[in-house]
Amino acid sequence: MDFKELITWLIPAFPLAGWFLWGLFGKYFKGISGYLASAFVGISFILSVILFIIVAYSHGFTDTLYPWIHAGIFKAGVTAVIDRLSIIMLVMVTGVSTLVHIYSIGYMQGDKGFSRYFSFLNLFVFSMIMLVISDNLLLLYVFWEAVGFCSYILIGFWYEKKSASDAGKKAFIVNRIGDFGFAVGIFLLFLTTKTLNYQAVFSMIPSIPAYTVTAIALLLFAGAVGKSAQFPLHVWLPDAMEGPTPVSALIHAATMVTAGVYMVARFHVIFSYSPAASEVVLIVGTFTAFFAAFIALTQFDIKRIVAYSTLSQLGYMFMAVGIGSYTAGIFHLISHAIFKGLLFLTAGSVMHGLSGELDLRKMGGLYKKMKTTAITFIIGGLALSGIPPFSGFFSKDAILADVYNKGFYFAWAVGEITALMTAFYIFRLIFLAFFSESKLDPKLHVHESPGIMTVPMIILALVALIIGFLGIPPFNDSIFYGFLHVDFQNAHIFDPIANNAPWYFLSLISVLMGLSGIYIAYILYIKKAVSPEKIKSMFKPVYLLSYNKVYIDEIYDFLIIKPLLAFFNFLWKVMDVKIIDGAVNGIASAFAGFSVKARKMQNGLLMSYILTLSVGVAALLFYYFVR
């Protein structure tokens, strides 16, 4: 094992060791477990950067730790694939995870489950690293489920609270739907190719019938719809905000929910050979981007607003990979991980300063009391809104430019409208929380978060400011594109129309949309030139549709949950209680009744016993001689 292979396996080894140590011996480490857990993940980040440099100046490689399974023609090993796609993901996952771990030391201070929390967080980082570097679908699926399990236990971390345990169960159950499709897709792929190794599969795709490739691609995408919370399996992510806020920043914004986008990009050969499946990806992404932004317009819970923005931005990423712009999709994935992690951490800082308050209607005037949080939140909001020079401008506009230039004009128009709504709802949050008239409880001691929380926020804000420059010169000649396009150069990209609209013209439209959204929020909530209540009453049906999340949960409850509960109640009360239990209990009762009558024969009278014996002997003799 040479140096680069040793580094490869040390990267997941440190968080795995952390999970083991804090899980078993956390009570002995007590308060220092947070610092040690952060250090372990920080070491993984440093090693990832070293490996990044090695790969940047050489070639990618694969390395097998051990064979694992060899059954007949099927082989699967614990094998890592280190190429430019996986190394970029590794640096992002370990880098953001390190900052979230450090932030968590302050956020979770005093919690009785302090060591347990860091044990779970280390387990998640290990699982996500292994998901990223897996070189076969079986290993990928194992850690696909592992990150889902970590999401479940961290959403329900405060399990004593019913809403948290319910949210954990909801996330777990909804993801089972997508993961079932993902598993079937893996089975179909193996039946077709007799292998699950990425490169072996990719080499066979051109020779597989188109309808089979489409079926495999759509089934794999079902897993992405669940994991990345796209419509109609999006309902678990907003409720996942019941978990600790750093969990939301790490798992439900920066890393795990992007696994679906990463998976589609990793299997770009499969999707690029199926225009039908790719268009489904585009349609689902476009609809989810608009749909989630529409819901976020009227919400008052600051974490859920940011959560809906995550759904929307993931929609943009799927738009990109759906049209074959894999590099643009991954660039937005990295950019989004930075500024969305920042937005969640700053939201957590607001909660920390307000003793857990989440309702915008109970805030206001926080800028003067929490300036660091306010400024970093504004930077995150500008990045999300796509305002230059922040990262969201370069990454989101690269997607929209490609969507337009490949002829998907309707999707481009929806993306631009979504950009306007995005800027509006995030600055509605900023204006109401930080700059509107204070509605805070006078007894509440509002305070800025400690340095251990604000320093990671500042670092993410700085990265959100500078990382976008990797996307220039625009866009397909950028440093980022030049680094990553090697992994996608063999994609058989479906390109029905090729326009060459100037990037600066398309970007100008996007920026104007973002600025318009900010200005509308300013007019409504700072200048108050128009009353939001008046607009609400004028468009009450639309407002209620948005405020009630388009009633999707209620529809699912009516069409799925209640019928299933009624069916299960029928199985319980009729099939189980009356038929199964009735049959078993009836037989038992019959034997019990017979026993009650039969035992009367044991009356203790000798003459009765002699009579019975005589009758029995006579019956036997009769049977013997008569037959």
Side-chain angles (χ1 to χ4, degrees):
M1 182 179 291
D2 63 18
F3 179 67
K4 63 184 180 182
E5 292 167 350
L6 176 63
I7 289 177
T8 299
W9 296 112
L10 284 176
I11 291 170
F14 277 98
L16 177 63
W19 164 66
F20 178 80
L21 289 172
W22 328 136
L24 290 182
F25 309 110
K27 64 179 181 180
Y28 302 110
F29 289 99
K30 296 183 180 178
I32 66 168
S33 59
Y35 294 94
L36 293 173
S38 303
F40 277 29
V41 178
I43 293 170
S44 294
F45 171 63
I46 294 169
L47 294 175
S48 297
V49 172
I50 294 171
L51 198 59
F52 176 88
I53 296 170
I54 293 172
V55 172
Y57 287 96
S58 61
H59 301 285
F61 62 93
T62 60
D63 183 60
T64 300
L65 186 64
Y66 64 94
W68 190 22
I69 297 175
H70 185 179
I73 62 171
F74 178 68
K75 296 180 181 178
V78 179
T79 303
V81 55
I82 303 298
D83 56 11
R84 297 190 172 199
L85 176 58
S86 61
I87 195 61
I88 284 175
M89 289 292 293
L90 271 182
V91 171
M92 183 274 287
V93 169
T94 55
V96 174
S97 296
T98 300
L99 293 175
V100 170
H101 273 72
I102 295 170
Y103 177 97
S104 296
I105 296 171
Y107 190 88
M108 298 297 291
Q109 196 65 45
D111 193 283
K112 64 180 181 179
F114 188 78
S115 292
R116 176 168 58 93
Y117 169 84
F118 281 98
S119 174
F120 291 167
L121 218 56
N122 273 191
L123 178 62
F124 167 76
V125 175
F126 162 72
S127 301
M128 190 66 195
I129 289 171
M130 291 301 298
L131 184 154
V132 166
I133 67 175
S134 300
D135 101 314
N136 64 80
L137 279 135
L138 181 61
L139 194 63
L140 171 72
Y141 187 77
V142 168
F143 288 102
W144 184 274
E145 294 300 325
V147 294
F149 169 72
C150 291
S151 175
Y152 163 70
I153 58 178
L154 283 164
I155 293 171
F157 180 78
W158 290 311
Y159 55 85
E160 301 94 339
K161 189 167 63 170
K162 188 176 186 302
S163 59
S165 62
D166 286 348
K169 288 184 286 186
K170 184 175 183 179
F172 192 81
I173 292 168
V174 172
N175 270 276
R176 297 287 64 72
I177 299 170
D179 290 353
F180 174 76
F182 191 51
V184 174
I186 293 173
F187 282 123
L188 179 58
L189 191 60
F190 178 72
L191 287 173
T192 305
T193 64
K194 309 305 179 190
T195 181
L196 293 179
N197 176 268
Y198 294 165
Q199 293 306 318
V201 166
F202 297 160
S203 66
M204 298 181 195
I205 290 299
S207 62
I208 298 174
Y211 63 87
T212 304
V213 175
T214 297
I216 291 169
L218 290 175
L219 287 166
L220 294 179
F221 180 59
V225 169
K227 195 68 72 187
S228 295
Q230 296 295 281
F231 181 87
L233 301 181
H234 67 283
V235 291
W236 68 269
L237 185 58
D239 287 11
M241 299 304 104
E242 291 288 342
T245 301
V247 171
S248 302
L250 179 61
I251 297 183
H252 306 125
T255 54
M256 188 197 79
V257 292
T258 62
V261 180
Y262 170 75
M263 185 269 290
V264 174
R266 171 59 73 189
F267 299 142
H268 63 276
V269 175
I270 297 175
F271 284 88
S272 63
Y273 272 89
S274 174
S278 294
E279 289 193 11
V280 169
V281 175
L282 171 65
I283 291 167
V284 171
T286 303
F287 180 79
T288 305
F290 177 86
F291 174 80
F294 173 70
I295 294 174
L297 294 173
T298 57
Q299 303 304 307
F300 289 98
D301 184 309
I302 59 173
K303 283 181 65 177
R304 279 175 168 75
I305 293 172
V306 180
Y308 278 111
S309 79
T310 298
L311 300 181
S312 186
Q313 296 302 304
L314 287 165
Y316 277 117
M317 298 174 210
F318 281 110
M319 289 171 67
V321 296
I323 62 169
S325 295
Y326 301 107
T327 305
I330 295 298
F331 186 33
H332 194 51
L333 185 157
I334 302 299
S335 170
H336 173 265
I338 303 301
F339 66 71
K340 187 53 61 63
L342 171 62
L343 284 171
F344 267 113
L345 294 188
T346 48
S349 181
V350 171
M351 291 176 61
H352 187 271
L354 301 183
S355 301
E357 185 57 66
L358 286 167
D359 195 333
L360 279 174
R361 292 167 291 191
K362 299 178 182 179
M363 298 182 189
L366 293 179
Y367 179 80
K368 295 179 181 179
K369 298 180 179 181
M370 305 180 71
K371 286 190 176 180
T372 301
T373 298
I375 292 170
T376 51
F377 206 122
I378 292 168
I379 290 173
L382 289 168
L384 174 64
S385 302
I387 306 301
F390 300 97
S391 60
F393 163 73
F394 298 100
S395 59
K396 174 178 64 65
D397 282 17
I399 293 172
L400 291 175
D402 277 353
V403 169
Y404 182 88
N405 281 326
K406 290 190 177 183
F408 299 99
Y409 303 122
F410 181 76
W412 172 80
V414 173
E416 294 292 1
I417 295 169
T418 302
L420 186 149
M421 294 194 295
T422 300
F424 171 79
Y425 68 66
I426 197 62
F427 273 87
R428 168 180 173 266
L429 188 162
I430 290 169
F431 290 146
L432 286 175
F434 296 103
F435 297 102
S436 66
E437 183 180 348
S438 176
K439 307 173 194 67
L440 297 168
D441 186 342
K443 298 178 182 178
L444 194 64
H445 173 59
V446 181
H447 59 281
E448 184 60 272
S449 299
I452 201 164
M453 294 172 65
T454 57
V455 169
M457 290 156 46
I458 293 169
I459 293 172
L460 285 173
L462 291 173
V463 176
L465 177 61
I466 63 176
I467 197 173
F469 291 99
L470 295 176
I472 58 174
F475 291 104
N476 290 345
D477 297 320
S478 67
I479 296 172
F480 190 90
Y481 180 89
F483 179 81
L484 197 58
H485 89 284
V486 174
D487 287 352
F488 297 126
Q489 62 185 349
N490 295 322
H492 181 73
I493 297 174
F494 176 61
D495 190 2
I497 300 175
N499 298 309
N500 290 299
W503 70 268
Y504 48 82
F505 175 72
L506 296 173
S507 296
L508 178 62
I509 295 174
S510 294
V511 172
L512 288 175
M513 286 293 184
L515 292 174
S516 298
I518 295 172
Y519 182 70
I520 294 169
Y522 175 78
I523 290 295
L524 289 176
Y525 298 103
I526 300 298
K527 292 288 288 183
K528 298 183 178 178
V530 180
S531 170
E533 294 299 322
K534 185 177 180 180
I535 296 176
K536 186 192 304 183
S537 61
M538 287 174 61
F539 301 97
K540 191 171 183 179
V542 178
Y543 172 83
L544 291 175
L545 197 64
S546 172
Y547 182 75
N548 291 291
K549 301 168 286 188
V550 198
Y551 301 98
I552 297 296
D553 283 293
E554 289 78 5
I555 292 170
Y556 284 172
D557 186 60
F558 178 76
L559 294 179
I560 300 173
I561 306 300
K562 287 182 178 176
L564 281 177
L565 286 176
F567 177 64
F568 295 147
N569 275 326
F570 167 78
L571 292 179
W572 167 43
K573 293 181 178 179
V574 177
M575 298 296 295
D576 194 8
V577 175
K578 293 186 177 180
I579 297 177
I580 298 174
D581 286 354
V584 173
N585 293 336
I587 293 170
S589 298
F591 276 100
F594 174 76
S595 298
V596 168
K597 295 178 179 178
R599 72 184 181 187
K600 293 180 179 179
M601 297 173 62
Q602 304 292 329
N603 54 18
L605 298 176
L606 182 60
M607 295 301 294
S608 177
Y609 296 160
I610 294 172
L611 176 61
T612 303
L613 180 63
S614 300
V615 170
V617 171
L620 287 173
L621 291 173
F622 178 79
Y623 173 77
Y624 178 76
F625 287 110
V626 169
R627 76 181 181 87

